[in-house]
Amino acid sequence: MTYTETGRPGTAAPEPAPRVLTVEHDDPRVDGLLAGLLEEYTQRYGADGAAHELSRYPVTEFVAPDGRMVLVELDGEIVAGGAVRPYRADRSQEPGTAEFKRIWTSDRHRRKGLARAVMDALEQAARDLGYTHVVLFTGPSQPEAVGLYERLGYRRLDPAAVDVLPYPKAIPFATEL
């Protein structure tokens, strides 16, 4: 039961609605996503592993006109997000294929549909950028991500069929847009 300021029983104020934002790589709110990712990666992979992962794909990888960032803001705080970029550094090699990176939801805000909202927004951003196919990679230390991608209908690829894996135990997924 909740109580009003007078101490009488009442109903709780509704939680504020999250805002899904599609932004450029240099939007200052991207720092909230990067800080959340650093914390998450540090917990899962240690400080060195986190620093290595974030340095492999700097925010400049997601620059327009071929990339975008998606953020979920709740009460002024960035609580989830992700990014889209060309799968190949030279987009002309696979012009229709995007790669999703930096997909993250704060552990304080999981199980609220935010990851699905991020994925929906990333897919729309990819379509808007002219992509027709998406690949993404996750690792065995992120079982929540594996489950999400499978629930969303992404198909797991045979790692042997992928030209270059970002790391040896990467789990590749793909979908058509």
Side-chain angles (χ1 to χ4, degrees), residues 114-165:
L114 299 180
R116 182 178 295 269
V118 167
M119 293 298 290
D120 288 347
L122 286 172
E123 289 173 355
Q124 186 57 54
R127 281 187 209 94
D128 292 346
L129 293 167
Y131 296 108
T132 57
H133 185 78
V134 172
V135 296
L136 58 82
F137 300 89
T138 192
S141 294
Q142 296 177 313
E144 310 93 330
V146 170
L148 172 69
Y149 305 143
E150 289 174 342
R151 282 190 307 278
L152 294 177
Y154 281 67
R155 67 187 182 286
R156 196 184 288 222
L157 303 176
D158 177 358
V162 177
D163 291 346
V164 179
L165 292 173

Side-chain angles (χ1 to χ4, degrees), residues 49-116:
H52 175 72
E53 176 60 21
L54 288 175
S55 69
R56 286 191 321 144
Y57 304 101
V59 72
T60 53
E61 293 274 324
F62 312 107
V63 172
D66 297 320
R68 292 286 187 284
M69 307 285 296
V70 169
L71 305 174
V72 177
E73 186 178 62
L74 183 63
D75 249 359
E77 177 187 4
I78 301 303
V79 297
V84 60
R85 70 179 198 140
Y87 178 52
R88 302 284 185 204
D90 177 0
R91 185 171 175 181
S92 67
Q93 292 178 347
E94 288 189 57
T97 304
E99 182 178 13
F100 291 171
K101 303 293 292 177
R102 305 289 180 245
I103 301 166
W104 164 80
T105 301
S106 165
D107 59 1
R108 297 181 324 275
H109 297 282
R110 292 194 178 142
R111 310 296 305 165
K112 297 179 181 179
L114 299 180
R116 182 178 295 269

Side-chain angles (χ1 to χ4, degrees), residues 31-42 78 104 106:
D31 291 343
L33 171 64
L34 297 177
L37 281 165
L38 180 60
E39 181 179 332
E40 178 87 17
Y41 289 169
T42 299
I78 301 303
W104 164 80
S106 165

